[in-house]
Amino acid sequence: NAGVTQTPKFRVLKTGQSMTLLCAQDMNHEYMYWYRQDPGMGLRLIHYSVGEGTTAKGEVPDGYNVSRLKKQNFLLGLESAAPSQTSVYFCASRYIGGVREQFFGPGTRLTVL
Amino acid sequence: GENVEQHPSTLSVQEGDSAVIKCTYSDSASNYFPWYKQELGKRPQLIIDIRSNVGEKKDQRIAVTLNKTAKHFSLHITETQPEDSAVYFCAATFTGGGNKLTFGTGTQLKVEL
């Protein structure tokens, strides 16, 4: 099992450009999450999904959109990137049942110039 | 929304000493409290968690205690080793769908020889 994977690992964008980050999991998890991690601020939830075809806003959703067309994939989109979106982005997933651990992907380091 | 405060932000101990990291949370309905360890450039990984119906949980050199009345929980690492050096994050669930987690801002633990 690959667990949770993220594509790409690194990316540099110019202000105003768009991009999509892909998260994939092969553990048949229902729940998936997108976080951003900034120095001194921990992990903050951007959007999450409780199942295929559903998405919901987290703590810091502005400037991001998401889609969950397939259960194993959770996409995070930036329509018009801004320097404030420079961050490390982590995807996580978890099982719907009793085991509550969130499993994290390796992260995507995004720089917006 | 939920707020999780974590202290200290940095902690330096001598090898073999104990380390304690403390967190407080605001949502009295929170019922799950995980601790994650993140090494430099790596993904966060769960090291221990506790549910609200338990006051203490131990796994070898790591233990977590929970005081629901005071709304605080702590991570205890005994006999620290250099490989314990990392950033540690506490988290708590908050109400609403998706079993979302709110993370603390992290503690940089350095174990010195």
Side-chain angles (χ1 to χ4, degrees), chain A residues 9-41:
Chain A
K9 288 185 171 56
F10 305 93
R11 185 72 186 267
V12 178
L13 290 179
K14 293 181 180 178
T15 297
Q17 288 185 318
S18 63
M19 78 163 294
T20 300
L21 283 69
L22 171 63
C23 175
Q25 52 92 6
D26 62 0
M27 297 176 282
N28 201 33
H29 286 170
E30 290 289 341
Y31 295 167
M32 297 187 74
Y33 310 85
W34 275 108
Y35 296 91
R36 60 177 290 172
Q37 184 174 37
D38 303 294
M41 300 186 73

Side-chain angles (χ1 to χ4, degrees), chain A residues 2 4 31 33 35 37 40-43 45 48 50 57-59 90 94 98-107, chain B residues 2 31-32 36 38 41-46 49 51 87 89 93-94 96-106:
Chain A
V4 181
Y31 295 167
Y33 310 85
Y35 296 91
Q37 184 174 37
M41 300 186 73
L43 292 140
L45 183 65
Y48 66 99
V50 299
K57 294 180 180 179
E59 181 187 358
F90 285 99
R94 62 151 283 193
V99 176
R100 305 183 72 172
E101 176 181 358
Q102 289 189 16
F103 294 83
F104 283 82
Chain B
E2 172 73 287
N31 58 14
Y32 175 66
Y36 282 82
Q38 186 178 29
K42 304 287 188 179
R43 71 190 79 189
Q45 292 196 299
L46 181 75
D49 56 13
R51 299 194 185 201
V87 179
F89 292 97
T93 52
F94 61 101
N99 282 273
K100 302 180 293 292
L101 292 174
T102 296
F103 285 82
T105 51

Side-chain angles (χ1 to χ4, degrees), chain B residues 2-90:
Chain B
E2 172 73 287
N3 185 46
V4 176
E5 294 189 1
Q6 182 172 348
H7 300 280
S9 57
T10 61
L11 178 60
S12 184
V13 300
Q14 294 294 120
E15 183 180 7
D17 287 351
S18 295
V20 180
I21 302 170
K22 298 182 179 182
C23 289
T24 60
Y25 60 98
S26 60
D27 188 348
S28 57
S30 293
N31 58 14
Y32 175 66
F33 308 91
W35 286 89
Y36 282 82
K37 175 183 179 182
Q38 186 178 29
E39 296 176 352
L40 188 63
K42 304 287 188 179
R43 71 190 79 189
Q45 292 196 299
L46 181 75
I47 56 170
I48 195 167
D49 56 13
I50 191 168
R51 299 194 185 201
S52 58
N53 58 347
V54 175
E56 183 174 359
K57 184 177 179 181
K58 190 174 181 180
D59 183 3
Q60 298 183 346
R61 297 187 296 108
I62 295 173
V64 57
T65 58
L66 171 64
N67 183 327
K68 284 204 70 179
T69 302
K71 290 191 283 188
H72 68 71
F73 56 113
S74 301
L75 177 71
H76 305 253
I77 306 174
T78 59
E79 301 173 22
T80 53
Q81 300 167 4
E83 52 264 38
D84 294 330
S85 296
V87 179
Y88 292 81
F89 292 97
C90 63

Side-chain angles (χ1 to χ4, degrees), chain A residues 51-108:
Chain A
E52 181 178 314
T54 73
T55 63
K57 294 180 180 179
E59 181 187 358
V60 288
D62 294 343
Y64 305 95
N65 56 75
V66 288
S67 65
R68 182 106 181 263
L69 299 179
K70 293 183 179 181
K71 185 177 182 179
Q72 63 267 34
N73 296 337
F74 195 26
L75 278 64
L76 178 71
L78 287 74
E79 291 184 346
S80 179
S84 60
Q85 294 178 303
T86 293
S87 188
V88 179
Y89 291 85
F90 285 99
C91 173
S93 69
R94 62 151 283 193
Y95 181 57
I96 195 173
V99 176
R100 305 183 72 172
E101 176 181 358
Q102 289 189 16
F103 294 83
F104 283 82
T108 295

